[in-house]
């Protein structure tokens, strides 16, 4: 069996359509993860111990269980309680919540890096809560965790093939379908693997550059 | 309640596969991580380049894509069909091994320079240096990250349900189809995974403690901050 380059050319348009879904899911899911993760981190810092503790364990649970099962859960359970979701929406919610558990930890470490004096200063100036967070703590905390957050963007991109399991027509889904149709798994799967490397290696290099820029704060 | 009584044996059976793949994958990933990580910390530029190509490629490809490639594409290329469980172990091991290699390399680099200089002064061979001085210290450093990777691998093992290995996720899918108990089926699967993860977390914590004790480091207590940080951090009893 030889590698059929002609078929790769023919399959490319479909694969690129799949890649569009992959990128879409990554970007939307990442937006969810950034926002929810930040809220979680703030709640864990500011809320009463019982709430903060509950949130902590929920996040621990999310981090210790497979994303795939969580995706199934969102995809099959939410429609059962009357919330109709497209596969892509379910995927974005699943990805976003899973990674929120990770980004929350990143934000937390960033907040811990903000010197005590800054907190005390907000107290001394009796700033209102939203000013404490938006004007003082977050600008300092987020700046130093930008590279770590970027790493999770790449990680999330590499987890999007799981959406294949809940019928999102992303890259792997297209490849699998084309492979099955023409029995050309070798070509399609190899191209998918290469596309992933092509996207994630340059982004890893970009993250390293970011690290160099923001590390020395 | 009835659901759980009936389903428990199925989940336990599924957990056997999940554990098998996790343990197998960890063994492979560990071997790769050590080999590639040590290569990545040698002085030869060629070996280092080799290690970093491995790391970038296998970190860049998603484990699921790798598994599909091994399972669907490789038989067409070689004519040899892998067992699904073996394909999964291979894919996860290669993927997590790449992350582990970076961890090993980082930990070896973090061993203080003076330790290397001491081994040179004592005229130790490369093997002696690694075995007696560098690795025991790097080991304590790399364990926490290894712990995270074990959990990642355990979670990653869920993808084998997509190539019809009857692990926990597969069992949950089947129960959903046959009983219609969607919430229970997946909730039970999630709890099973969580319990397994907690067991691994506890085991890794034990390993960390024993590694630190062997280096003569007392398990870190927040109260002991009287000594200057530099003196306390790397005290070796040996």
């Amino acid at each position: 069996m030889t590698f059929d380059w002609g078929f790769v050319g023919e399959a490319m348009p479909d694969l690129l359509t799949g890649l569009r879904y992959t990128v879409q899911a990554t970007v939307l899911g990442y937006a969810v993860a950034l926002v929810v993760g930040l809220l979680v981190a703030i709640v864990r810092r500011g809320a009463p111990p019982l709430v903060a503790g509950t949130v902590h364990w929920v996040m621990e649970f999310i981090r210790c269980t497979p994303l795939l099962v969580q995706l199934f859960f969102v995809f099959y359970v939410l429609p059962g309680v009357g919330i109709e979701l497209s596969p892509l929406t379910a995927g974005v919610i699943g990805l976003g919540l899973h990674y929120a558990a990770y980004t929350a930890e990143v934000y937390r470490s960033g907040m811990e890096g903000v010197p005590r004096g800054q907190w005390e200063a907000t107290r001394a100036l009796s700033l209102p809560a939203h000013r404490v967070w938006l004007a003082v703590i977050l600008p300092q905390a987020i700046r130093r965790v930008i590279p770590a957050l970027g790493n999770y963007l790449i990680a999330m991109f590499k987890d999007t093939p799981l959406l294949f399991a809940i019928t999102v027509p992303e890259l792997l889904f297209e490849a699998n379908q084309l492979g099955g149709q023409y029995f050309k798994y070798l070509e399609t799967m190899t191209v998918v693997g290469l596309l992933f490397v092509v996207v994630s290696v340059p982004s890893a290099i970009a993250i390293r550059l970011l690290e160099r820029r923001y590390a020395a704060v | 309640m009835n659901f759980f009584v009936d389903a428990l044996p199925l989940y336990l059976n599924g957990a056997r596969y999940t554990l098998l793949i996790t343990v197998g994958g960890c063994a492979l990933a560990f071997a790769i991580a050590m080999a590639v990580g040590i290569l990545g910390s040698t002085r030869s530029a060629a070996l280092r380049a080799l290690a970093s190509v491995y790391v970038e490629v296998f970190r860049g490809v998603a484990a699921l894509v790798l598994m599909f490639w091994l399972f669907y594409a490789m038989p067409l290329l070689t004519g040899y069909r892998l067992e699904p469980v073996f394909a999964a172990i291979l894919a996860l091991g290669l993927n997590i091994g790449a992350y582990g290699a970076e961890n090993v390399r980082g930990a070896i680099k973090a061993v203080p320079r003076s330790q290397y200089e001491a081994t040179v002064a004592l005229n130790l061979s490369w093997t002696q240096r690694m075995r007696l001085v560098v690795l025991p210290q790097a080991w304590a450093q790399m364990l926490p990250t290894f712990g995270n990777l074990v959990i990642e691998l355990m979670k990653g093992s869920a993808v084998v349900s997509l190539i019809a290995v009857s692990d926990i996720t597969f069992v949950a899918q089947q129960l959903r189809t046959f009983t219609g108990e969607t919430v229970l089926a997946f909730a039970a699967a999630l709890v099973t995974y969580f319990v397994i993860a907690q067991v691994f977390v506890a085991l890794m914590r034990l390993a960390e403690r024993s590694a630190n004790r062997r280096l003569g480091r007392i398990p870190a207590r927040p109260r002991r901050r009287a000594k200057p940080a530099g003196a306390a951090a790397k005290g070796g009893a040996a």
Side-chain angles (χ1 to χ4, degrees):
Chain A
M1 174 109 194
T2 50
F3 200 89
D4 183 355
W5 284 104
F7 184 76
V8 171
E10 281 168 44
M12 222 36 178
D14 283 340
L15 291 179
L16 289 180
T17 316
L19 186 62
R20 228 192 54 209
Y21 274 97
T22 298
V23 171
Q24 212 173 340
T26 311
V27 172
L28 294 176
Y30 193 58
V32 173
L34 285 183
V35 174
V36 176
L38 183 58
L39 293 178
V40 167
I42 292 176
V43 165
R44 278 194 56 191
R45 182 112 200 177
L50 190 66
V51 180
T54 313
V55 171
H56 167 72
W57 276 104
V58 170
M59 289 297 131
E60 184 71 20
F61 188 83
I62 292 180
R63 242 178 308 136
C64 282
T65 51
L67 175 57
L68 181 62
V69 185
Q70 291 166 7
L71 288 173
F72 282 142
F73 196 86
V74 173
F75 186 62
Y76 291 117
V77 171
L78 289 188
V81 295
I83 307 169
E84 282 304 324
L85 295 173
S86 75
L88 182 64
T89 320
V92 166
I93 294 174
L95 274 176
L97 288 183
H98 187 79
Y99 275 90
Y102 287 93
T103 52
E105 286 300 305
V106 174
Y107 286 124
R108 193 179 59 87
S109 75
M111 287 172 192
E112 272 169 11
V114 176
R116 262 185 85 86
Q118 298 285 325
W119 290 93
E120 286 161 2
T122 63
R123 176 72 47 94
L125 293 169
S126 88
L127 292 182
H130 71 275
R131 293 272 293 159
V132 172
W133 287 107
L134 293 178
V136 181
I137 303 303
L138 291 183
Q140 300 180 64
I142 291 178
R143 195 184 147 82
R144 69 185 74 212
V145 296
I146 285 174
L149 288 175
N151 275 331
Y152 283 114
L153 177 62
I154 302 180
M156 185 183 244
F157 172 73
K158 282 181 289 192
D159 267 346
T160 51
L162 291 176
L163 300 187
F164 157 78
I166 56 168
T167 69
V168 176
E170 47 70 62
L171 192 50
L172 186 66
F173 183 91
E174 293 287 346
N176 195 46
Q177 206 162 41
L178 286 168
Q181 230 164 39
Y182 303 99
F183 206 63
K184 297 268 189 197
Y185 281 111
L186 177 60
E187 286 81 0
T188 52
M189 290 296 161
T190 308
V191 170
V192 169
L194 289 178
L195 280 177
F196 269 95
V197 175
V198 163
V199 176
S200 50
V201 170
S203 21
I205 293 170
I207 298 290
R208 222 163 291 155
L209 292 179
L210 271 183
E211 247 164 35
R212 211 163 294 158
R213 179 155 168 206
Y214 287 106
V217 179
Chain B
M1 210 57 233
N2 228 342
F3 173 85
F4 290 115
V5 175
D6 293 339
L8 189 64
L10 296 173
Y11 279 107
L12 289 181
N13 201 35
R16 254 187 27 207
Y17 278 101
T18 298
L19 284 175
L20 173 68
I21 292 163
T22 307
V23 172
C26 282
L28 178 61
F30 180 70
I32 291 175
M34 278 301 184
V36 176
I38 290 174
L39 276 189
S41 64
T42 50
R43 291 175 70 182
S44 146
L47 291 180
R48 279 210 313 267
L50 197 70
S52 84
V53 166
Y54 176 86
V55 168
E56 291 304 337
V57 168
F58 284 96
R59 263 202 321 193
V61 185
L64 177 58
V65 174
L66 195 58
M67 188 182 74
F68 268 45
W69 193 89
L70 289 171
F71 190 64
Y72 289 117
M74 210 183 74
L76 300 177
L77 195 66
T78 59
Y80 178 71
R81 193 166 192 90
L82 292 175
E83 281 286 306
V85 171
F86 190 62
I89 289 177
L90 210 55
L92 289 167
L94 288 169
N95 184 240
I96 299 290
Y99 286 94
E102 275 301 276
N103 178 32
V104 171
R105 195 179 62 89
I108 290 176
K109 264 177 99 174
V111 174
R113 257 195 81 78
S114 53
Q115 298 283 329
Y116 285 95
E117 284 159 8
T119 61
V120 174
L122 292 170
N123 200 19
L124 296 187
S125 70
W126 183 84
T127 335
Q128 285 172 320
R129 179 206 300 165
M130 286 315 248
R131 191 169 63 86
L132 299 173
V133 180
V134 176
L135 286 181
Q137 295 183 57
W139 178 243
Q141 173 100 11
M142 58 180 99
L143 269 178
T145 308
F146 271 148
N148 290 340
L149 290 177
V150 169
I151 303 297
E152 288 299 317
L153 202 148
M154 193 276 296
K155 292 194 302 175
S157 76
V159 300
V160 298
S161 63
L162 300 177
I163 53 172
V165 175
S166 51
D167 75 329
I168 298 172
T169 310
F170 191 81
V171 168
Q173 276 278 32
Q174 294 227 303
L175 283 173
R176 181 188 75 82
T177 328
F178 291 129
T179 66
E181 297 277 11
T182 310
V183 181
L184 288 183
F186 286 122
L190 288 172
V191 170
T192 315
Y193 277 114
F194 184 67
V195 170
I196 295 177
Q198 294 307 311
V199 171
F200 278 118
V201 168
L203 287 178
M204 290 308 286
R205 210 162 284 159
L206 282 181
E208 271 169 47
R209 287 177 68 119
S210 93
N212 279 322
R213 201 169 305 134
R214 234 176 305 159
L215 289 176
R217 295 176 198 164
I218 301 142
R221 288 249 176 82
R223 265 181 292 134
R224 295 183 74 254
R225 296 192 62 178
K227 280 185 202 165
K234 297 288 181 213

